[in-house]
Amino acid sequence: MRLSILDYVPVDEGLEAQDALAASLRLAQAAEAAGLHRYWFSEHHGMPAMVSSAPELMMARTAAATETIRLGSGGVLLPNHSSYKIAGNFQLLEGMFPDRIDLGLGRAPGADQRVNAALNEERAGQLPYGRKLGDLLGFLSGQHHAQSRHAGLRALPRTARIPQTFVLGASGSTAEVAAQAGLGFTFAHFINPGPQGAQAAAAYRAAFQPTDFGDKPSVVVAVFAAVGETEAEAEAFADTFHLWLSHAESAQPFDRLPSLETTRNHAWSIQEQMVRQRNEGRLVCGTADSVASQLQELGRAYGTDEVMVNLMMPGEAARQKALTSLAQALAGTPQALSA
């Protein structure tokens, strides 16, 4: 099974953004040394505990400090940007780091109403997602739809390959879009852990049409993970994750990723406990062997041999240890189904 990472670039309690950025680079280098396949960065805005607001910049710096691991966006949030600008940015990355660049595309704004307005204050309105995606693919390939207002326009520089392009989904509604365009499909099991993900992956495969972007289906399933040397340690990391998440999706997010000590001393409110109960399926938790087994099971459910984990665990050392131990555990497990 191929293991990949989605990095929110979390800021640990007591540290600053520059510390998180340095830790992220070291984690990517450790991921490459451990043989991981991809390292993706998110796009979030207005959230002090997560500093990856520009995945292209994170990718460029990390690609320059590594040699083989694929770098990608998980994802660029299409509503916030010009399709032409995104295409040009990723063509430039592909030119600098050939055959190592992934373009993951999301349809959500990734911010609250005020931040979203600031990101888009010069625009009269949003274009439909399907239209923006179609424009973007046309700018990358030079092949627009017959009636496109951008016919003949292609993003520069031209490169030998187009970045490997994925549509990100959390409900299944984008699976057919990805399939018809010949793109990869990544499902955010860490957002929606119900049966929709596996159903969306199956629908994507059934509807897949080969194009210049891809000749066969490619499915990645992404999930939060908490990995400890013991089950008790893993549960402590899971407690911290759930405390962070219970606030991250509220009007009062933490400005740092809570520490183990802060979590141990926290008095959980009834509301926080209810949120935690709803979120349990978004995280796989346990020792490296246990999490590896759970990831294999998840891969089988999605019919894929590639999983992507998001390690929202406090402490750089803990994230490093989780990554390397999980890679070692997966190396010794049977293969899941082919993507």
Side-chain angles (χ1 to χ4, degrees):
M1 170 168 277
R2 294 185 295 184
L3 179 64
S4 297
I5 292 285
L6 172 62
D7 191 359
Y8 280 2
V9 193
V11 187
D12 287 306
E13 192 175 288
L15 299 181
E16 301 298 332
Q18 59 264 32
D19 302 308
L21 292 166
S24 172
L25 183 58
R26 290 188 289 266
L27 188 65
Q29 291 169 331
E32 180 173 77
L36 272 67
H37 187 49
R38 309 180 199 271
Y39 199 101
W40 284 11
F41 295 98
S42 64
E43 179 184 339
H44 288 100
H45 299 280
M47 305 183 78
M50 300 180 287
V51 298
S52 182
S53 57
E56 305 100 309
L57 295 181
M58 298 298 301
M59 291 168 60
R61 186 190 69 155
T62 306
T66 54
E67 296 181 0
T68 58
I69 194 167
R70 297 191 66 86
L71 282 304
S73 57
V76 167
L77 302 179
L78 205 47
N80 297 332
H81 308 284
S82 152
S83 293
Y84 186 75
K85 176 65 171 173
I86 294 172
N89 285 352
F90 277 78
Q91 287 290 105
L92 188 58
L93 284 167
E94 176 66 28
M96 290 189 288
F97 308 103
D99 202 24
R100 293 183 61 199
I101 299 302
D102 297 333
L103 170 55
L105 297 163
R107 66 184 302 174
D112 63 27
Q113 189 171 0
R114 289 186 64 201
V115 174
N116 197 32
L119 284 166
N120 297 280
E121 64 180 354
E122 295 182 357
R123 300 179 193 171
Q126 292 283 356
L127 295 176
Y129 173 75
R131 182 171 166 184
K132 290 202 72 170
L133 178 62
D135 290 343
L136 173 59
L137 299 181
F139 294 138
L140 287 172
S141 66
Q143 298 176 9
H144 292 272
H145 294 296
Q147 304 303 317
S148 172
R149 64 200 185 284
H150 300 304
L153 186 58
R154 184 170 183 174
L156 300 175
R158 295 192 179 186
T159 55
R161 296 180 179 86
I162 298 171
Q164 189 172 358
T165 307
F166 292 79
V167 166
L168 279 55
S171 67
S173 61
T174 55
E176 187 173 353
V177 173
Q180 291 180 349
L183 307 178
F185 180 59
T186 300
F187 193 86
H189 194 87
F190 62 88
I191 294 176
N192 183 357
Q196 284 180 295
Q199 294 166 1
Y204 159 78
R205 281 194 194 82
F208 186 85
Q209 298 292 323
T211 69
D212 289 344
F213 288 92
D215 58 3
K216 61 182 179 180
S218 178
V219 174
V220 180
V221 54
V223 66
F224 287 117
V227 185
E229 289 189 1
T230 65
E231 292 290 343
E233 184 180 54
E235 286 295 337
F237 286 132
D239 288 344
T240 300
F241 162 79
H242 282 294
L243 180 59
W244 163 77
L245 187 59
S246 69
H247 288 257
E249 298 175 342
S250 75
Q252 297 179 315
F254 287 108
D255 64 359
R256 296 292 184 268
L257 185 63
S259 66
L260 290 172
E261 183 179 3
T262 293
T263 305
R264 280 193 296 266
N265 295 330
H266 182 76
W268 291 71
S269 69
I270 293 176
Q271 177 65 24
E272 288 170 338
Q273 293 175 29
M274 291 173 63
V275 172
R276 173 174 183 156
Q277 187 174 11
R278 289 200 303 268
N279 287 333
E280 288 290 348
R282 299 168 68 176
L283 173 79
V284 292
C285 170
T287 64
D289 286 340
S290 173
V291 171
S293 178
Q294 294 174 66
L295 293 178
Q296 287 282 359
E297 184 177 346
L298 190 63
R300 283 191 288 271
Y302 279 77
T304 184
D305 67 350
E306 184 170 356
V307 293
M308 181 172 285
V309 295
N310 187 337
L311 299 171
M312 287 298 285
M313 299 166 53
E316 178 184 356
R319 293 189 290 271
Q320 290 257 4
K321 186 181 296 184
L323 182 155
T324 54
S325 62
L326 185 54
Q328 290 169 0
L330 279 170
T333 59
Q335 291 295 305
L337 298 178
S338 172

